[in-house]
Amino acid sequence: MRSLFRFHGGVKPATNKAASTSEPIVKAPLPPRLVVPLHQSIGGTPHPLVRAGQRVLKGELIGAADGNVSSAVHAPTSGLVTAVEPALMAHPSGLTMLSVIIEPDGEDRWAELDRLNYKSTPPDELRDFVRDAGIVGLGGAVFPTHLKMNPGREGRTRTLVLNGAECEPFITCDDMLMRERAAGIVKGTAILRHLLQADEVLIGIEDNKPEAVAAMQTAVRAEGESMEVVAIPTRYPAGGAKQLIRVLTGIEVPHGRRSTDFGVQCFNVGTAYAVFEALTCGHPLISRIVTVAGNVDRPRNYEVLIGTPMSDVVRLSGQRTDTTRYLMGGPMMGMRMPGFDVPVVKATNCILVASDALFPPPPPEQACIRCGECARACPADLQPFELYWFSRAKNFGKAQEYNLFDCIECGCCAYVCPSHIPLVDYYRFSKSEIWARERDKSASDQARERFEFRNFRQEREKEEKAAKLAAKAAETRAKLATEPAVDGAAATPAADAAEDPKKALIAAALARAQAQRAAAQPKNTDNLSAETQAEIEQIEARRRTTGNAPASGPAPAGTGASAPDTQP
Amino acid sequence: MIHSPYIRKPASVQRVMGTVLVALLPGLAAYVWQFGAGILVNLALASVAAIAIEALVMRLRKRPVALAVGDLSAVVTAWLVVLSIPPIVPWWITLLAVIISIGVAKHLYGGLGQNPFNPAMVAFCALIVAYPALMSQWPGAGQLDFAAQLDLILGGARQPDGITAATALDALRTGMRSGASVGTVFSGNSAFGIAGGRGWEWVAAGYALGGLILLGTRVITWHLPAAFIAMLAVVSGLFWLIDPAQHASPLFHLASGGAMLAAFFIVTDPVSGATTPRGKLIFAAGIALIAWLIRSFGAYPDGIAFGVLLMNICVPLIDMKTQPPVFGHRGGNS
């Protein structure tokens, strides 16, 4: 028996997991319309590769990863692209996101599949393959998986942690996946282990899922892998990556550090399964397991194509009439959806159907009595009530000093607060204020730097010009001193150079300017047509006869000082 | 717009305060048993006054009245202040105590959660300074019947010698001042009971039992009562071991005066006390130390109230200096 470690705090809300695990995973039918958002991972937004009116096949790339910190997006089924346009995002903001709208043709025909033997493929190629298969962290954070498939600095990973804890109430998608597809998860984990060069693999599962633990143990034995399935105490948020790493290894990964710095990497079980599907079957990530629970008649897990409108999935479970909204995720950290028809995305582990009876609005906020319940519940060892006081007073500096940014927004503090204070909202407010201020500050810093650099540049150019002029003057002076005469035009002034260097300089400059003018100024007497030339000659002849001929100028015959003014 | 989390533990300030009131019942029962039902009159008066003042002040401050009255915090303060002062004080002293604790010490600082000082102890200190005679007239166990107590509470004439007896701490102080040893003071005085003051040891036991209720329901953590009791026992025990003739035993100190009430109900006030685990230990130990110093060397028979107020002042500093390390920032993390 492995000795486990504790993390501070945590809460034990009613798990509400039994109802949705009584039936196996059901494949959701093809919806009449799929809305596939292009941006479904942390990082860059993929560019659309399809246009309206184009036919696509199942698994066809429709959005290419934008740079390395991004992940590809694929057509979930075969059909017709009816539009590439902004559509409502599965996010509380209610903002839209460029999405590919596909009308399925019902054939569900696969594109040509690309498989890979991971053992004979170089790691770089494997990572690109995973990126192009659109695989992201399916625990909800949707961090591109290929970016995590790197061993740490030493080229080895001590521990690969597979996260099957699933600590949030109501959510059972990982539980059901482990029960039904344990072999695939273990095979995917073996691939991840190969890439990470991991010494040990620990599969952490909360002990309220004995069926999943057993299924995974059986699969590990059947695959002949040396991985350890560890049942961990059920306590929210044991499924947070940092909490799970702490429980299994005793290592605490501080805020702002990567677990790989400590020789640990952590993946969700669903992600491992997706890696297996991509490499072994060639299937890119176009569907996922989604729990539908809450205010429905038949809570259940479905295998849902990415892009399926949530209401189409919930309908299968029998949505009750007093439903007020959908939440994506669980009741502790879930996000309120801006509508019922927002699409299922890669981050959708659970559609929690809410009603006022199931999740009543919180009682009115009361004064904080500093009872410290929140501090006893905080898994990050923070003093949440202090952060609350600082946030309320907009004392953001102090809030940061008390490690506001170590808060993982798990909601434990607000869950236990006897004064019903929406504590997490206060922290979100403070964090966004601090980010906004930092943005403002960096914008004004940039403006100031630009201004200062401009001043510096102007100053520098002035100096450079002066230096250049001085050098030139010195050069000319030296030249004049050694060469008595230059050319015909400057001959007379240059003769005085020996007596007065300054005068000589001026004369030289004048001569140079004159020569330049002569060379640069276009003359309206150049390239004349035959008639004009004849006319000019007539005028010249007339002038000569009247004695008005201009003073001799540089050849050819000048047109007088007023000539430039008459130019068009 | 409601954000996560969408579920909440069934907890409320009202539930916390209600638990405190329930936990006070064993001590109160022992009180009535040993000293008569007069305390109940003052308790009822104080409760009504507390609710009235709370409502009035909330109304003046244009804040929701029902929410504040319903949270029972005013009633808890009223009970604690009544249990801290003699049970036979005239009604206007009780009223004054409630006005000072709720009107001044609580609401002048901004109401529930905002007061830096323990409201009940502010009232106690103000009154013992303003009315030292009335505030030190404690009846002996079984000395007065209910009718006599009621008469005194309603403002009847007082003949101190007839209505009160010296408390154990008083008797000890007076005895020691006259040069007697602890043993001789104890042996010839009816003020002393089995462990502390006669009758009071039962009340103390009742408070301790209530404290166990608070610990069991997780309304308080072990830190505050443990540090208070340990400090009082250690410091009094040390001097008692050195010179038992000049110093009372730790058991006497723990069972006398307001020690048990303080350990479980007064120093555990979350609003005005320290909040970090280490901070709680320092805070409660500091109160115990000051209380023992005042009991042993000061001008007042008991010093817990002053100890609480003095340590209240130190709370911001204590909390600041005892912040526990945050996840991942502990030493020895590789």
Side-chain angles (χ1 to χ4, degrees):
Chain A
M1 194 64 195
R2 171 172 288 273
S3 66
L4 297 176
F5 299 83
R6 265 183 63 91
F7 64 90
H8 176 265
V11 294
K12 288 184 175 180
T15 57
N16 287 302
K17 288 176 189 267
S20 57
T21 50
S22 57
E23 297 281 333
I25 298 170
V26 179
K27 210 167 169 185
L30 268 181
R33 201 172 99 106
L34 287 159
V35 181
V36 186
L38 283 164
H39 191 241
Q40 294 198 51
S41 73
I42 306 280
T45 305
H47 338 278
L49 297 175
V50 291
R51 283 188 319 277
Q54 194 176 328
R55 298 218 150 259
V56 289
L57 291 172
K58 183 173 187 166
E60 190 177 322
L61 194 67
I62 56 174
D66 173 38
N68 203 35
V69 186
S70 180
S71 191
V73 176
H74 304 79
T77 186
S78 59
L80 179 71
V81 175
T82 57
V84 179
E85 61 184 20
L88 200 58
M89 259 200 299
H91 189 270
S93 62
L95 294 174
T96 57
M97 151 68 47
L98 193 60
S99 307
V100 177
I101 321 286
I102 298 170
E103 203 170 89
D105 57 14
E107 291 173 27
D108 214 20
R109 201 144 44 85
W110 277 101
E112 205 174 309
L113 297 180
D114 195 8
R115 293 180 183 80
L116 209 61
N117 181 346
Y118 73 91
K119 279 183 179 150
S120 59
T121 312
D124 276 349
E125 233 171 275
L126 268 176
R127 279 188 278 270
D128 287 350
F129 186 88
V130 168
R131 180 192 65 205
D132 296 336
I135 296 173
V136 296
L138 294 182
V142 290
F143 189 82
T145 298
H146 64 276
L147 297 175
K148 288 170 74 179
M149 292 171 36
N150 252 326
R153 279 188 228 122
E154 293 130 40
R156 289 196 79 76
T157 306
R158 198 158 0 118
T159 310
L160 166 59
V161 170
L162 204 63
N163 189 345
E166 201 167 49
C167 57
E168 270 243 25
F170 288 99
I171 308 178
T172 56
C173 59
D174 289 347
D175 186 1
M176 294 308 288
L177 187 77
M178 288 187 285
R179 291 191 202 188
E180 297 187 13
R181 303 180 191 179
I185 298 172
V186 172
K187 284 180 178 137
T189 310
I191 298 169
L192 293 168
R193 173 185 217 165
H194 167 77
L195 266 167
L196 290 166
Q197 296 291 302
D199 297 337
E200 62 169 356
V201 177
L202 301 177
I203 303 171
I205 304 170
E206 272 193 349
D207 57 14
N208 62 355
K209 297 182 252 300
E211 299 89 346
V213 172
M216 289 298 288
Q217 276 167 342
T218 310
V220 166
R221 266 197 304 276
E223 298 293 325
E225 297 283 351
S226 65
M227 301 175 184
E228 193 179 339
V229 180
V230 188
I232 60 165
T234 299
R235 192 155 53 100
Y236 177 86
K242 289 185 177 179
Q243 278 66 38
L244 185 62
I245 290 170
R246 163 79 191 161
V247 168
L248 292 175
T249 67
I251 294 169
E252 289 189 3
V253 182
H255 169 70
R257 297 282 301 277
R258 287 163 202 269
S259 62
T260 43
D261 296 346
F262 300 88
V264 185
Q265 188 57 286
C266 182
F267 292 94
N268 174 266
V269 286
T271 313
Y273 185 77
V275 168
F276 156 75
E277 281 262 298
L279 268 69
T280 315
C281 315
H283 295 169
L285 185 59
I286 54 167
S287 67
R288 65 159 296 148
I289 313 296
V290 178
T291 306
V292 176
N295 199 39
V296 289
D297 292 328
R298 296 173 301 278
R300 199 157 295 174
N301 280 279
Y302 298 94
E303 181 163 10
V304 185
L305 295 180
I306 303 299
T308 307
M310 286 189 182
S311 48
D312 284 6
V313 189
V314 174
R315 194 173 304 131
L316 304 172
S317 273
Q319 175 176 319
R320 292 185 185 150
T321 46
D322 61 337
T323 294
T324 50
R325 58 187 188 271
Y326 293 164
L327 308 175
M328 187 168 94
M332 293 299 288
M333 290 185 81
M335 290 188 286
R336 184 196 167 119
M337 292 293 101
F340 293 116
D341 57 349
V342 292
V344 166
V345 291
K346 292 174 183 177
T348 312
N349 48 8
C350 177
I351 306 169
L352 192 50
V353 183
S355 70
D356 284 344
L358 188 61
F359 302 123
E365 185 178 334
Q366 287 174 282
C368 169
I369 55 169
R370 293 160 55 91
C371 64
E373 270 298 308
C374 49
R376 288 195 282 284
C378 180
D381 303 75
L382 297 167
Q383 300 286 304
F385 62 92
E386 299 278 20
L387 295 175
Y388 155 76
W389 286 102
F390 295 139
S391 298
R392 224 172 87 120
K394 299 193 179 155
N395 191 347
F396 302 122
K398 207 74 179 152
Q400 253 179 303
E401 206 179 291
Y402 277 64
N403 303 297
L404 171 68
F405 284 95
D406 283 57
C407 167
I408 56 171
E409 298 181 20
C410 64
C412 288
C413 51
Y415 175 78
V416 299
C417 179
S419 295
H420 314 122
I421 302 170
L423 291 162
V424 187
D425 287 0
Y426 280 94
Y427 312 145
R428 290 185 188 117
F429 163 73
S430 277
K431 286 179 183 177
S432 60
E433 281 293 306
I434 291 167
W435 283 324
R437 279 169 195 212
E438 272 170 12
R439 265 198 305 277
D440 287 353
K441 189 175 175 298
S442 76
S444 67
D445 280 353
Q446 273 174 9
R448 202 189 58 241
E449 273 166 28
R450 268 202 304 275
F451 175 73
E452 283 171 356
F453 181 72
R454 178 172 162 271
N455 284 352
F456 165 75
R457 178 173 52 78
Q458 285 178 335
E459 204 56 36
R460 188 191 62 196
E461 281 171 358
K462 219 193 264 171
E463 277 168 24
E464 279 172 358
K465 207 164 170 184
K468 214 149 106 198
L469 281 173
K472 195 124 184 217
E475 194 185 315
T476 315
R477 217 175 282 138
K479 209 159 149 193
L480 287 172
T482 51
E483 292 172 30
V486 193
D487 57 54
T492 325
D496 308 329
E499 292 131 48
D500 188 350
K502 196 145 194 182
K503 210 182 263 174
L505 267 178
I506 294 168
L510 276 174
R512 216 165 41 240
Q514 209 173 1
Q516 260 171 13
R517 213 168 23 240
Q521 278 173 2
K523 298 181 181 66
N524 60 358
T525 52
D526 291 344
N527 310 318
L528 297 173
S529 66
E531 301 97 82
T532 322
Q533 189 63 49
E535 201 181 335
I536 290 171
E537 270 158 18
Q538 273 178 5
I539 294 165
E540 290 294 325
R542 227 173 24 244
R543 273 183 179 159
R544 267 193 296 276
T545 53
T546 54
N548 265 349
S552 68
T559 48
S562 64
D565 296 338
T566 61
Q567 278 184 355
Chain B
M1 184 81 152
I2 298 152
H3 296 115
S4 63
Y6 306 90
I7 49 175
R8 284 168 180 282
K9 200 174 167 178
S12 66
V13 175
Q14 188 179 24
R15 191 182 281 227
V16 171
M17 297 298 169
T19 311
V20 174
L21 293 179
V22 169
L24 278 170
L25 292 179
L28 189 60
Y31 206 126
V32 172
W33 169 44
Q34 289 292 325
F35 298 95
I39 183 81
L40 297 179
V41 177
N42 269 329
L43 215 53
L45 175 66
S47 304
V48 173
I51 289 170
I53 293 163
E54 179 88 7
L56 180 72
V57 177
M58 288 303 273
R59 206 188 166 87
L60 289 174
R61 294 177 59 207
K62 299 186 175 63
R63 301 287 166 104
V65 173
L67 201 62
V69 171
D71 68 24
L72 297 178
S73 63
V75 178
V76 168
T77 305
W79 282 32
L80 291 177
V81 79
V82 167
L83 292 174
S84 306
I85 62 180
I88 52 166
V89 291
W91 60 272
W92 54 269
I93 286 272
T94 306
L95 200 62
L96 207 54
V98 176
I99 290 170
I100 293 171
S101 59
I102 292 172
V104 177
K106 181 179 177 185
H107 278 290
L108 278 192
Y109 287 99
L112 182 65
Q114 309 277 348
N115 48 295
F117 297 104
N118 185 315
M121 293 302 101
V122 171
F124 180 90
C125 289
L127 289 172
I128 203 161
V129 171
Y131 302 98
L134 284 175
M135 286 288 286
S136 49
Q137 291 172 356
W138 294 85
Q143 190 180 7
L144 295 169
D145 62 9
F146 180 68
Q149 291 190 349
L150 191 62
D151 179 56
L152 290 168
I153 291 168
L154 295 177
R158 291 170 171 263
Q159 287 122 6
D161 291 343
I163 55 168
T164 64
T167 67
L169 285 172
D170 273 334
L172 181 66
R173 167 184 307 277
T174 319
M176 302 299 289
R177 289 265 161 83
S178 65
S181 77
V182 171
T184 54
V185 172
F186 271 44
S187 59
N189 197 314
S190 63
F192 299 98
I194 309 160
R198 195 156 64 85
W200 288 111
E201 61 238 18
W202 295 108
V203 180
Y207 289 143
L209 185 64
L212 295 180
I213 295 175
L214 292 184
L215 284 169
T217 51
R218 291 173 44 105
V219 168
I220 59 170
T221 60
W222 60 269
H223 304 80
L224 289 163
F228 180 85
I229 291 168
M231 187 54 153
L232 194 56
V234 165
V235 71
S236 60
L238 196 67
F239 280 81
W240 176 64
L241 284 176
I242 294 169
D243 188 356
Q246 293 299 313
H247 297 277
S249 72
L251 185 63
F252 174 80
H253 273 286
L254 289 173
S256 302
M260 283 299 119
L261 182 68
F264 294 102
F265 295 93
I266 302 288
V267 306
T268 51
D269 169 38
V271 172
S272 58
T275 52
T276 63
R278 275 193 304 145
K280 283 176 176 175
L281 297 177
I282 296 168
F283 175 74
I287 295 171
L289 185 63
I290 295 171
W292 178 81
L293 284 171
I294 293 177
R295 276 181 179 187
S296 303
F297 309 108
Y300 290 95
D302 205 348
I304 292 172
F306 295 104
V308 170
L309 296 191
L310 287 172
M311 289 310 289
N312 282 162
I313 297 172
C314 308
V315 162
L317 184 69
I318 294 173
D319 275 352
M320 194 177 78
K321 291 294 176 196
T322 56
Q323 285 294 312
V326 167
F327 186 91
H329 299 295
R330 259 175 276 271
N333 183 17
S334 61

